[in-house]
Amino acid sequence: CKRSLIAGSAVLPQVVPTRCPPEHRTVMDLCCCAGGWSHGFQQEGYGIVAGVDNDKQALATFKLNIPSADKELADLMNKKDRDLLVDAYKGKVTIGLGGSPCTGFSKAHPTDGNKPTRRLLPICVKLYIEIGVDVIFMENAEQAKKSPEMREAISALETAGYSVQCKVVCAADYGVPQNRKRTILVATRNGWTFTWPSKHDRHVTLGEALAQSPIPAQGEKVTDAALDRIEGRSAPYGSSGRICTLDNPAKTLMTQKANTVILRGDTHYQPSIEEFMRIQTFPPTFAFPPSVPEGERYKMIGNAVPPMMAAAMASGLTKGTTTAQTHSTLDRPNPTDPSTDCIAAATRLQAV
C-alpha cells in the first residue's frame, strides 16, 4: 500500500479496509508526544485507546487530534505509574506503540550517552509485555539499534515468546519527504505476523511536498547574521548538514526551527510550523491547543514518528488464525552497502 506526497495525491492516506476484526485492532501509544505513531495506525483502520506521556502540553495536543483516546499523564520511569497503567489496560489493548526519547542515543546529542531516559526503551517494552499486547512497535534513533538497552528489550521479548525484528529504516523510502533514519523494533505473537513494507520507487522531494495543496505558509527569511552562525557550527549542525534544497528530500528534522534551513533560489528560510508538519507528513487538519507555544510545537513535530511512515509499518501487519512460531530476525544492514543508504539512493534518483 504505497503512498505519495506528490502533487495530485492525498497528503495522507485514507483508511484502508481492515484485515482482522476490530476488537483485535486496539492500540496504546507510550511516549506518544503529538501522536505520529497513532495517526499512522489510525489511517490503517486501527483504534487508538490511549496515549501516555509525561508532558501535559503533548497530551493536550494528542487528545485534541484523537479525541476518542484516553490521555494518561504518567512518568514511565516511575514503577507506581507503570503499575497503574497495567491495572487500567491489561487485556484491553492488542498493539503497543512507542517512541522513547532519542536524546540519549542520537549522534545529535553526543554528550547525552549516559542519559537515564535511555532506560525507557526496555521499560516500555517490558510494560507492554506485562499489559499483554500481541504486537509492539518501538522507534528510536539509528544509533539505538546496537545499544545495550535494545539488546535488553529484545531479550525480554524473546523470553516472553515474541517473534522479533529490528531494522534501521529511512522515512524517505515510505513517502516521507525527509531523509530520516530510524531504528524500528517490531515484536509479534499469537498469530500476528509482520512483513517490512515495500519501499517506494522514488523519493518525494521537499519541493514536491511543499507545493502540494493546501500550500503551507512559508517561513521567515534567515538573516545574514543568523546564517553566519548556522554556517559556523560544526557538523552535523553546520550548513552541509542542515540546509535543505527543494530538489531532494529534507534533511532530518530536529526539534527547533533554527536547526533547519530551506534554500529557495538564493534565499534561505527557516521553516514555518506548517512546513515542519508537511515534511513530517502530519495532516493539514492537525491542530495545537492555543496555549501551546511555538517552540513546543516544533519540538513535538520534530520528535514525532512521521505518520506516513507509521502507516506503512501498520500496513505490514497481518493477523493469522494460528499462533506464529517464535523466532527473531535482527536485520543488520551492511554499512558499506550503498543500497542501504537512503541519501545515496536519493542522489542516484536525482541523477536519473
Side-chain angles (χ1 to χ4, degrees):
C1 182
K2 295 185 178 180
R3 296 162 176 80
S4 175
L5 272 173
I6 296 173
S9 62
V11 172
L12 288 171
Q14 299 296 315
V15 173
V16 300
T18 59
R19 291 178 295 280
C20 55
E23 61 267 22
H24 295 307
R25 301 174 72 84
T26 51
V27 177
M28 173 181 274
D29 195 346
L30 297 178
C31 304
C32 64
C33 198
W37 264 129
S38 291
H39 277 279
F41 270 72
Q42 202 171 48
Q43 291 155 27
E44 288 291 314
Y46 291 86
I48 312 304
V49 174
V52 182
D53 209 288
N54 67 346
D55 186 322
K56 291 182 179 180
Q57 292 181 328
L59 279 177
T61 303
F62 180 92
K63 182 69 173 178
L64 178 64
N65 291 278
I66 309 179
S68 60
D70 297 338
K71 64 173 185 177
E72 299 286 358
L73 183 66
D75 177 5
L76 295 176
M77 299 286 283
N78 185 308
K79 186 178 184 303
K80 181 179 178 180
D81 282 8
R82 298 198 302 272
D83 289 344
L84 290 172
L85 290 172
V86 172
D87 291 342
Y89 293 100
K90 189 174 182 66
K92 296 180 180 178
V93 290
T94 305
I95 298 168
L97 311 174
S100 57
C102 69
T103 52
F105 300 104
S106 174
K107 64 183 178 182
H109 302 273
T111 63
D112 289 346
N114 295 317
K115 202 164 186 177
T117 53
R118 286 173 62 115
R119 294 291 311 149
L120 282 171
L121 174 57
I123 283 173
C124 288
V125 165
K126 292 175 183 179
L127 176 57
Y128 275 139
I129 293 172
E130 194 170 356
I131 289 173
V133 303
D134 290 334
V135 178
I136 298 171
F137 282 84
M138 294 296 297
E139 177 264 3
N140 210 295
E142 178 183 3
Q143 295 75 20
K145 184 174 184 291
K146 297 182 179 180
S147 67
E149 290 82 6
M150 182 63 76
R151 290 194 292 271
E152 180 183 344
I154 290 171
S155 177
L157 288 164
E158 291 175 335
T159 300
Y162 290 83
S163 299
V164 184
Q165 302 183 60
C166 187
K167 185 176 182 179
V168 174
V169 302
C170 181
D173 290 332
Y174 303 106
V176 180
Q178 181 186 172
N179 279 318
R180 186 182 187 91
K181 288 187 176 181
R182 286 295 183 266
T183 297
I184 303 292
L185 171 68
V186 187
T188 55
R189 67 179 180 183
N190 291 338
W192 286 90
T193 58
F194 175 75
T195 302
W196 294 100
S198 299
K199 297 179 181 180
H200 288 205
D201 296 331
R202 62 179 294 272
H203 289 168
V204 178
T205 69
L206 176 60
E208 289 170 330
L210 297 183
Q212 186 178 20
S213 180
I215 296 175
Q218 186 169 295
E220 298 177 352
K221 292 182 180 180
V222 179
T223 64
D224 290 341
L227 189 59
D228 287 341
R229 287 195 298 271
I230 292 169
E231 291 181 330
R233 295 175 185 173
S234 60
Y237 304 104
S239 60
S240 62
R242 304 271 34 104
I243 293 182
C244 305
T245 59
L246 297 179
D247 56 354
N248 283 293
K251 308 294 176 67
T252 301
L253 294 189
M254 300 175 73
T255 58
Q256 301 177 39
K257 68 177 180 180
N259 287 331
T260 299
V261 175
I262 299 173
L263 178 62
R264 289 185 170 94
D266 296 326
T267 306
H268 296 84
Y269 296 83
Q270 289 186 330
S272 66
I273 187 61
E274 291 84 4
E275 289 173 324
F276 231 60
M277 289 166 55
R278 177 65 58 83
I279 296 168
Q280 280 281 68
T281 68
F282 276 84
T285 55
F286 187 88
F288 295 94
S291 60
V292 177
E294 180 186 81
E296 286 300 309
R297 298 182 184 200
Y298 280 96
K299 180 180 176 180
M300 286 182 205
I301 298 301
N303 275 330
V305 176
M308 189 169 285
M309 185 174 78
M313 296 300 127
S315 74
L317 271 180
T318 303
K319 171 66 172 167
T321 56
T322 59
T323 301
Q325 181 180 358
T326 300
H327 67 283
S328 292
T329 305
L330 305 182
D331 180 82
R332 292 179 172 83
N334 181 353
T336 64
D337 180 1
S339 68
T340 65
D341 186 339
C342 62
I343 297 177
T347 302
R348 290 195 299 273
L349 174 65
Q350 296 302 322
V352 174

